[in-house]
């Protein structure tokens, strides 16, 4: 039946995913985040792509679920973190600025319980200052084993690593928990931003999240910003930073270098 066909295909994909780790087929794209105060790109999110030998460049949605099922996600995650930290260190050395690089952590990596050791090893081998690494986590991930995870996050934070809560507003969003999470930044999910100029509810929610986050001493980044109107609304609401196609889509590392180089020569003006 169809079940078997699917599983054979999946097995083939899993085999090539395993090989991809050794054949170095993963590529990292970077999506710039702009600081609204300075109008400059101060951080980037690292996003993995798979340069598949026959299928071309695959987005994470095509292989991350499989990587999680097959237990390969930790190896891929570590590889991404290592490469991203190495790049960030190079940008720093090339005089492109103190660009903070954000890496997404999967629940699988968190459950293994050796996140702190992996991060120590990566920072040590790449020479990247801890404050230029940010980990993006989801609420559901922290909630899995809340007390233990909060302890781990506090430990990471003492190293100077930045912590961001991703997709905020889509999960539990229980405020009683939020005040316990030791995070530096909240990322407002794109679903609230996309229609904020036409939906007064979305605008009100966004404003409330920004005000609440600031009262908890957290920064706020809005994802999915695609228009000048969104940017202006967010600026007026006091949002700290934005990410989205209005600034840039995710780009290869060489293109990111050009973007960073261009802004060095630009006068510091607010866009």
């Amino acid at each position: 039946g169809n079940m078997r066909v699917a599983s054979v295909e999946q097995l083939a994909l899993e085999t090539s995913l395993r090989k991809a780790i050794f054949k170095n087929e993963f590529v990292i794209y970077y999506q710039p985040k702009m600081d609204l105060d300075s109008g400059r790109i101060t951080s980037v999110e690292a996003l993995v792509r798979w340069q598949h030998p026959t299928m071309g460049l695959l987005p994470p949605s095509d292989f991350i679920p499989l990587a999680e099922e097959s237990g390969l996600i930790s190896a891929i995650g570590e590889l991404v973190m290592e490469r991203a930290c190495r790049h960030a260190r190079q940008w720093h050395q090339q005089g492109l600025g103190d660009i903070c690089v954000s890496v997404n952590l999967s629940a699988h990596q968190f459950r293994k319980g050796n996140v702190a050791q992996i991060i120590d090893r990566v920072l040590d081998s790449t020479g990247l200052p801890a404050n230029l690494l940010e980990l993006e986590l989801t609420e559901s991930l922290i909630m899995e084993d809340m007390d233990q995870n909060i302890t781990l996050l506090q430990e990471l934070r003492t190293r100077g690593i930045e912590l961001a809560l991703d997709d905020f507003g889509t999960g539990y969003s229980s405020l009683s928990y939020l005040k316990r999470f030791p995070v530096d930044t909240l990322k407002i999910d794109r679903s609230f931003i996309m229609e904020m100029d036409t939906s007064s509810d979305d605008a009100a929610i966004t404003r409330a999240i920004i005000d609440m986050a600031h009262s908890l001493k957290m920064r706020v980044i809005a994802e999915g910003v695609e228009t000048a109107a969104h940017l202006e609304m967010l600026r007026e609401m006091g949002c700290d930073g934005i990410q989205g196609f209005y600034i840039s889509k995710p780009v290869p590392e060489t293109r990111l270098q050009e973007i960073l180089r261009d802004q060095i020569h630009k006068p510091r003006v607010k866009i």
Side-chain angles (χ1 to χ4, degrees):
N2 285 348
M3 223 13 240
R4 181 153 174 274
V5 175
S7 64
V8 169
E9 271 174 22
Q10 189 165 1
L11 201 60
L13 196 61
E14 191 182 314
T15 306
S16 53
L17 193 60
R18 218 170 270 284
K19 284 184 185 154
I21 296 172
F22 296 102
K23 285 157 70 180
N24 206 8
E25 290 171 355
F26 296 104
V27 184
I28 301 181
Y29 274 49
Y30 294 97
Q31 187 166 29
K33 300 183 218 177
M34 178 179 280
D35 175 63
L36 284 186
D37 207 31
S38 63
R40 297 175 86 73
I41 290 157
T42 51
S43 63
V44 296
E45 181 176 356
L47 298 154
V48 66
R49 304 281 185 268
W50 178 9
Q51 189 64 63
H52 191 280
T54 55
M55 295 193 283
L57 196 66
L58 303 179
S61 54
D62 282 5
F63 62 91
I64 293 297
L66 177 64
E68 294 195 317
E69 272 173 54
S70 56
L72 295 170
I73 189 71
S74 294
I76 295 171
E78 202 172 327
L79 196 144
V80 169
M81 184 183 291
E82 209 273 340
R83 181 101 41 94
C85 288
R86 199 168 289 286
H87 280 154
R89 173 84 173 121
Q90 285 164 1
W91 306 328
H92 191 266
Q93 286 171 319
Q94 290 163 3
L96 297 177
D98 287 344
I99 308 296
C100 181
V101 68
S102 297
V103 177
N104 293 280
L105 272 195
S106 76
H108 208 279
Q109 287 170 283
F110 229 57
R111 281 185 212 117
K112 277 183 83 171
N114 60 346
V115 168
Q117 294 92 301
I118 286 172
I119 289 169
D120 285 343
R121 188 167 73 234
V122 168
L123 291 177
D124 195 46
S125 71
T126 58
L128 186 72
N131 65 308
L132 295 184
L133 172 63
E134 179 179 69
L135 304 176
E136 295 202 9
L137 315 129
T138 59
E139 280 171 290
S140 52
L141 185 156
I142 301 175
M143 299 286 294
E144 266 189 14
D145 187 349
M146 196 168 66
D147 295 330
Q148 190 188 326
N149 288 345
I150 285 175
T151 305
L152 172 58
L153 294 180
Q154 280 162 341
E155 188 193 330
L156 292 174
R157 227 174 161 192
T158 59
R159 288 165 165 73
I161 292 161
E162 296 281 317
L163 299 174
L165 196 57
D166 204 6
D167 304 336
F168 186 75
T170 59
Y172 302 93
S173 304
S174 46
L175 307 183
S176 56
Y177 293 131
L178 185 63
K179 68 174 197 286
R180 291 188 53 199
F181 292 164
V183 297
D184 306 283
T185 302
L186 276 192
K187 293 187 82 179
I188 304 180
D189 187 71
R190 61 188 314 119
S191 58
F192 297 109
I193 306 300
M194 303 295 284
E195 292 166 18
M196 66 186 287
D197 46 356
T198 52
S199 158
S200 57
D201 285 351
D202 285 353
I205 290 169
T206 300
R207 186 183 293 275
I209 293 175
I210 292 169
D211 291 345
M212 178 196 62
H214 286 164
S215 70
L216 293 171
K217 309 270 187 290
M218 296 173 185
R219 293 183 77 243
V220 184
I221 300 265
E223 294 187 278
V225 177
E226 297 190 354
T227 67
H230 291 165
L231 169 68
E232 278 319 308
M233 285 181 79
L234 288 161
R235 189 197 291 292
E236 183 266 320
M237 290 176 182
C239 190
D240 301 290
I242 58 171
Q243 183 176 0
F245 287 3
Y246 185 68
I247 306 287
S248 171
K249 61 183 197 300
V251 294
E253 197 266 338
T254 46
R255 175 70 192 115
L256 181 73
Q257 278 195 39
E258 289 170 14
I259 293 171
L260 295 176
R261 201 160 274 128
D262 286 348
Q263 79 173 357
I264 292 172
H265 307 297
K266 266 196 218 133
R268 284 178 174 267
V269 289
K270 295 195 179 185
I271 59 161

